[in-house]
Amino acid sequence: MYPGCRSSDVAPPLQGDCMRCEGCGTELPDNAKFCHQCGRPVAGASLQDATSNVDMNDAHDVANVANNSKGTLDNTPVSDVANVVINSKDVPADALGAPAGSSTSDAQNSPDAPAEEAAEAPQGAQPQEDLAATSSLKEVEATQVRPGSPQVEVGDTVPVPTPVDATKEAVRLDLTDEDLVDSLVTDPSRPGSTGRMRVYAAPDPIAEEQAAEKNHRLGLITAAVLFVAALAMLAAFVTWRMEIWGGKTLPDTVGMDQAAATSLLEGEGFSVATTEVVSDNAVGKVVSQEPAGSRRVDPGSVVALGIGVERSVPEVEGMALEDAKEALHDRSIDHVRVEYENSDNEKGTVIAVTPSAGSVVAADEMVTLVVAQPYTVPDVVGLSEDDAKEAVERAGLTYETVMVASDQDPGTVVSADPAVGSELKANSKVTLTVSSPYPASPYAALEYLHCAPKDLSTYLRQQGYSLLYGATRDDVVAATWAGSAASPQVVIGPNPFAEYRGFQFWATDGLAAGAQIQGVRLTFDQDSAPDAAGALKVDQATVNSLMEACGLKTSSGTTTTATPQTLAPKASQAPEFIAKAGTQGSDTWAIVVWRANDQVLAAVCVAPTQTLETNLSAAGISLDAYEGSMANLAATQLLIKG
């Protein structure tokens, strides 16, 4: 290394002193074109800028690879470094730092070159065919050698391996001895000689410094950008935490009193809307909040608060039923019972509520809604008269009754007018048609048996009858009722063939007292006989007409007839008569027509069959004595023993 030079990797100067910048005096390498300290162009930059360094240290022997007679390399190891110029058609001269169009001959004629290197270098011989086949050889011209290497002269040409890329900073070829012998420095005269060569492209300090400066500036810019970005992110995070942007944190007000919660939210800049929420243990407090607390929301947002209220019955009167149910459900009242009541209010509207509006109720307490329905004629058909009247009154209506003969049980409602289901105003009148509890006519003997005693007493009095004789024995009626001349006489007692009469200071109406009816006899003359019977005669035609007029039929048992000729036992003095008897259902009947003096009389007797047999037996009368003929028994009891 020469004194004052900056690097041992730079070729030594041609004249013994390092180059210096004319502007600042900084020592410069020989190949510098610009001062790396102040940037001043270097005057007289030489062709040496394009040189490369070849280190041949530690080479044992170098074969003589030139085929000319100018000189050869000896066996002496080469320990110094020779600068060589790559003279190749494949590498442009400007890539090596030499001016365009320059050549190695220019370098040889440079005034700075030593005198011994001024001689023209002869052209080297072409490489051998085997060497050319294994590597691409370039001409290398030695521009400067150290003293002590007399075998290498200026102009000598030696083969080198694969072309050096001058654009590389440092291309190093490490070859084995065999590679060097065969491929690099094989000398035909001295086979087996080996060596090691290092080839360097000459660095460009100015370009390196500019690239380093550019990289430095880019690094500073990148660091600055990253720093600014990190600072911006930190500032954004801090300002977000300070709620300068990104909304405000919403306080959690659940459990607070309504007034305190409202004040807190409004103080933070939020708007408040409230709704009622039924609560059993948080009345007047916030039970729900939307949006929920601790969330970030926009300033001025509306916060919905659910305020606890008591479970109280709302005002529902006048509402439609479904609306009323919904109002109760909104107050968490789900146990609802509905009742209907006749009313002049609009159909289907609530007219009453129990408990009343405003009452606080438990979650499982029942609330009753009374709903208006029109005054409607209830379904009373088939009910008893008394039950039908009660139903009509409950419906807010009035009634009147009309008795009619009917196959229905006596006292049963057979129809209503207006019809069942009709909608009326309050206190409208409904006419109830009732199956009469009374006999359809004074001649309907069997119907007397099935009337209630009180009803029969009422009926007889309504028909103008009066009580001639009345008594009660063992809760059985014994009475005689007489009416107008056009009405038959009515005898009621346990034996329908017997007479019940006598003096009484005070007659007892056993019917009105509810005593039993066990037998009935109707007696009439021509004036009181049924019109359908026509003129009464003692014949079978009159008997048949009386049967029809009195509603008697032969439904079971045996019908018997009797006349004085068939009477048994025989009676010495028997009036002219005709008798007929039979059964109808569970009842027994008998008709006797006879002549008394100048008029014809008739009697119709009825009694429950079982009761009649019992009562006759108790009186000592046996049907067997009359040859089993109820007609004979009836005629005998009425005409002969009567």
Side-chain angles (χ1 to χ4, degrees), residues 135 250 411 498:
S135 63
L250 187 64

Side-chain angles (χ1 to χ4, degrees), residues 249-328:
T249 301
L250 187 64
D252 188 356
T253 62
V254 174
M256 298 177 61
D257 290 337
Q258 178 181 358
T262 301
S263 177
L264 174 61
L265 292 172
E266 291 179 346
E268 293 291 334
F270 299 104
S271 299
V272 178
T274 61
T275 56
E276 293 183 347
V277 178
V278 174
S279 175
D280 293 326
N281 51 17
V283 176
K285 296 182 179 296
V286 178
V287 297
S288 65
Q289 175 180 317
E290 181 61 33
S294 302
R295 292 180 55 185
R296 294 286 288 265
V297 297
D298 294 336
S301 297
V302 177
V303 182
L305 301 181
I307 308 300
V309 296
E310 294 178 324
R311 182 182 283 99
S312 59
V313 179
E315 182 61 59
V316 295
E317 290 189 15
M319 290 185 179
L321 175 60
E322 293 304 319
D323 293 340
K325 286 183 176 180
E326 184 176 353
L328 292 173

Side-chain angles (χ1 to χ4, degrees), residues 149-209:
S149 298
Q151 294 84 353
V152 180
E153 296 180 357
V154 175
D156 287 345
T157 300
V158 296
V160 296
T162 305
V164 177
D165 187 352
T167 62
K168 301 291 184 181
E169 280 191 10
V171 179
R172 177 167 180 164
L173 301 177
D174 288 320
L175 305 176
T176 65
D177 290 346
E178 183 178 358
D179 291 331
L180 290 173
V181 169
D182 294 339
S183 302
L184 181 60
V185 291
T186 301
D187 186 357
S189 63
R190 297 183 63 182
S193 61
T194 60
R196 183 173 58 190
M197 178 181 291
R198 292 185 298 169
V199 179
Y200 295 92
D204 187 350
I206 300 301
E208 289 179 353
E209 291 179 4

